[in-house]
Amino acid sequence: MQIPVYATREDIKAALDVKQTARATRAIDRAIASGSRAVDGLCRRRFYPELASRSWDWPNGQRARPWRLWLDENELISVTEVTTGGDVVPAESVFLEPNAYGPPYNQVQLDTASATSGWIGGDTHQRTITITGLYGYRDDETPLGATTASVDGAATTVTVDATTSADTGVGSVLRIGDERLLVTGRTQAATGQTLATDIDGQAKTTVIPVQDGTAFAVDEMVLLDGEQLLIVDIAGNALIVRRAWDGSALAPHTTGTALYAPRALAVTRGALGTTASAHPSGSAVHRWDPPALVHQMTLAEAINMLLQEQAGWFRTASGGSTSREATLEALKSLREQTYNTLGRKARLRGV
């Protein structure tokens, strides 16, 4: 399984003003993956949602409370089905705790007033309890836009609208219907719009007239010939853009030049325990969002790794004869804040 990350390639490039090259892209992807797993390790939990069935032995060391099962690192967001001793437990008999502030839930209890008031052993104690559900920290999503073409169950590219393109990066976790998809790449697709007048190759920020401004979104990158432009605002049918974006060069462009945008998303289908299925054009797209501190911590870890790699793992705090290795106090402080806020703490508990 490809494991999700908590920041996108575009996040890092924006933070460091890294230009688009294959070498830089590989380094960024390595750093994001390492940074995401570093956050998992620091907090002793996985934040991404995963649909799965997991099993526990019963009786086990928790048997002093026959109605309660501690989940520990197998935290739950929601439950689909619970079985014990081969029997399905009625949904109304299943309590997820702590109910006052979960998810995530770290224990499953059975309603002691119900017919199924305690866990039941099977022919053997091994894996006699099975819980199917959504595991992870939280399932927080942002609604984006929609697909602009139908997607069959075997497709590895999904074409989306401007809103989705502007708010999606390589590393994003998307949901269409019941299926989750991991974005692994982006390529240019025709927007159906053309340049409405000539523009010169001088101004760094300028107005680009198009036929329909609603076909674009703020923060979306568009391509004119070989020049990339970042849309910073839209006024009617005029795009206000920053030119020569992402390492491209200023150049003149003539009326009628087609505009492209990275709306063709390369994806891993059926991710995180879901199943690849067909989706019609116009299907709503949602993006899963990690907690803000997790996102920030991943960025910090990834950026530090990139800079350390460039410096041979000996970054200095100043130059010349007074050079000394950087203390990285800000990064240490952010790690402490992230762990204190989101870390799964060691627990002493009665069983």
Side-chain angles (χ1 to χ4, degrees):
M1 181 189 76
Q2 184 174 346
I3 302 177
V5 294
Y6 304 138
T8 67
R9 185 187 297 169
E10 289 75 7
D11 291 333
I12 299 295
K13 289 171 62 178
L16 291 179
D17 193 24
V18 176
K19 304 301 185 287
Q20 178 70 32
T21 67
R23 181 178 180 184
T25 294
R26 288 193 297 270
I28 289 172
D29 290 350
R30 286 198 310 269
I32 293 173
S34 297
S36 299
R37 303 293 73 83
V39 174
D40 286 345
L42 173 71
C43 294
R44 299 191 180 96
R45 60 175 19 133
R46 295 180 293 275
F47 291 93
Y48 54 86
E50 181 182 6
L51 185 64
S53 293
R54 297 176 184 173
S55 299
W56 287 260
D57 295 348
W58 194 268
N60 62 15
Q62 303 179 28
R63 63 183 179 275
R65 295 291 185 271
W67 63 85
R68 178 171 63 193
L69 178 72
W70 289 99
L71 301 173
D72 296 324
E73 70 274 13
N74 294 289
E75 295 172 312
L76 273 167
I77 299 170
S78 62
V79 161
T80 304
E81 182 181 81
V82 177
T83 63
T84 179
D87 298 328
V88 176
V89 181
E92 62 272 16
S93 299
V94 177
F95 294 158
L96 299 179
E97 301 292 346
N99 70 86
Y101 55 85
Y105 301 108
N106 61 18
Q107 55 180 293
V108 177
Q109 296 186 17
L110 300 181
D111 183 358
T112 56
S114 69
T116 308
S117 58
W119 301 110
I120 301 171
D123 294 336
T124 171
H125 72 285
Q126 294 174 313
R127 302 184 182 182
T128 192
I129 300 173
T130 299
I131 300 175
T132 300
L134 192 63
Y135 290 83
Y137 185 74
R138 283 205 179 95
D139 190 18
D140 295 330
E141 292 186 331
T142 297
L144 301 181
T147 59
T148 56
S150 60
V151 183
D152 66 34
T156 56
T157 300
V158 175
T159 306
V160 297
D161 61 9
T163 301
T164 304
S165 173
D167 291 328
T168 299
V170 176
S172 293
V173 178
L174 303 180
R175 180 178 62 81
I176 305 176
D178 293 328
E179 180 187 358
R180 294 190 194 270
L181 310 91
L182 305 184
V183 179
T184 59
R186 303 172 72 189
T187 54
Q188 301 291 336
T191 64
Q193 300 286 302
T194 60
L195 191 61
T197 188
D198 293 352
I199 58 173
D200 61 33
Q202 305 300 317
K204 285 287 287 184
T205 301
T206 191
V207 176
I208 304 293
V210 294
Q211 288 78 27
D212 182 8
T214 63
F216 300 89
V218 173
D219 289 335
E220 186 178 26
M221 186 181 67
V222 294
L223 181 68
L224 265 177
D225 295 321
E227 181 183 354
Q228 298 185 83
L229 310 93
L230 179 69
I231 302 173
V232 297
D233 205 352
I234 299 174
N237 293 329
L239 310 180
I240 294 84
V241 300
R242 292 180 183 169
R243 302 187 58 189
W245 192 252
D246 204 13
S248 61
L250 279 168
H253 307 284
T254 58
T255 303
T257 301
L259 283 89
Y260 293 81
R263 300 178 185 176
L265 308 179
V267 293
T268 297
R269 302 290 305 276
L272 298 173
T274 63
T275 301
S277 57
H279 307 284
S281 178
S283 296
V285 180
H286 294 76
R287 184 191 68 215
W288 173 76
D289 296 321
L293 262 178
V294 168
H295 178 255
Q296 191 62 43
M297 187 73 250
T298 301
L299 284 177
E301 294 284 7
I303 290 170
N304 178 56
M305 289 176 190
L306 286 169
L307 296 178
Q308 291 282 16
E309 185 176 302
Q310 293 169 6
W313 295 93
F314 189 75
R315 286 174 60 195
T316 57
S318 60
S321 60
T322 60
S323 292
R324 57 187 175 83
E325 190 171 3
T327 59
L328 304 179
E329 289 299 328
L331 182 58
K332 293 176 183 177
S333 176
L334 183 56
R335 286 172 179 158
E336 182 178 356
Q337 181 185 6
T338 302
Y339 175 74
N340 289 340
T341 304
L342 298 170
R344 190 171 65 85
K345 313 301 188 295
R347 177 176 60 237
L348 294 176
R349 52 173 168 80
V351 295

